[in-house]
Amino acid sequence: LPQAIIIGVKKGGTRALLEFLRVHPDVRAVGAEPHFFDRNYERGLAWYRELMPRTLEGQITMEKTPSYFVTKEAPARISSMSKGTKLIVVVRDPVTRAISDYTQTLSKKPDIPTFESLTFKNRTTGLIDTSWSAIQIGIYAKHLENWLLYFPIGQILFVSGERLISDPAGELGRVQDFLGLKRIITDKHFYFNKTKGFPCLKKAEGSSKPHCLGKTKGRTHPDIDQEVVQRLRDFYRPFNMKFYQMTGQDFGWD
């Protein structure tokens, strides 16, 4: 069973983190998202274990399913599998994250309403619709409270999605330390792809060719009304501040 799980967040940079980590010889990870603790729980632990790659002594088994972070039942379920599971959450500016989330949906369903109209319950009063998942996910402090009922804060590592782009080796250093791994992944593993606007691997796991994340990553965001962006910034600010306090980390989103 996995000793470490990337539990969130959607559109935060979880795929990049996992791909980067897989370069490490002591990390073995499931390719696809198992969604065990949110959608497939009734299939049982034996089913889940079958999905895991075979590992040797000293290797770490991992999986990532970003929707765990916002799933009410997930913390208790993971804790009942193993109280010692290490958890990793990749977070990014909740406003950018919401726009990225919307962009992804838009690419699949071009006829959805505008970002602006989905953001507000009532545009005139400026009341924000917190039931819309794109907005809901970014209220990190609220979701984290649920996890802290089952796991000590020291067992959860918070990775900055922004720093994963600007300084991938630095963030990967923190992740390797947290997982108790030798710091094997360093800046010599990365190059910056100017077209995509983010770092790529010089050599991916099991290949000698450079590897960038697929076409679905780094999509161009639609232009969003600046007033709406500002409203969202104001809305998230108190939650962000609380999140900084809870994690002891200032992510610099304001």
Side-chain angles (χ1 to χ4, degrees), residues 140-191:
Y140 304 138
K142 196 173 134 246
H143 303 300
L144 181 55
E145 280 174 345
N146 192 24
W147 288 88
L148 295 180
L149 301 172
Y150 296 90
F151 292 93
I153 192 90
Q155 219 166 301
I156 310 174
L157 180 72
F158 300 91
V159 172
S160 157
E162 284 83 11
R163 280 200 300 272
L164 200 54
I165 293 172
S166 62
D167 177 21
E171 283 301 274
L172 263 288
R174 293 179 59 235
V175 177
Q176 292 170 97
D177 292 349
F178 174 71
L179 295 173
L181 295 166
K182 265 228 261 338
R183 280 199 177 202
I184 286 175
I185 308 165
T186 60
D187 41 19
K188 64 169 192 290
H189 285 90
F190 301 99
Y191 71 93

Side-chain angles (χ1 to χ4, degrees), residues 222-236:
D223 280 330
I224 307 295
D225 181 339
Q226 275 315 297
E227 185 210 344
V228 174
V229 172
Q230 196 47 56
R231 283 279 173 87
L232 275 177
R233 295 220 165 278
D234 297 342
F235 165 76
Y236 278 122

Side-chain angles (χ1 to χ4, degrees), residues 16 197 251:
F251 290 90

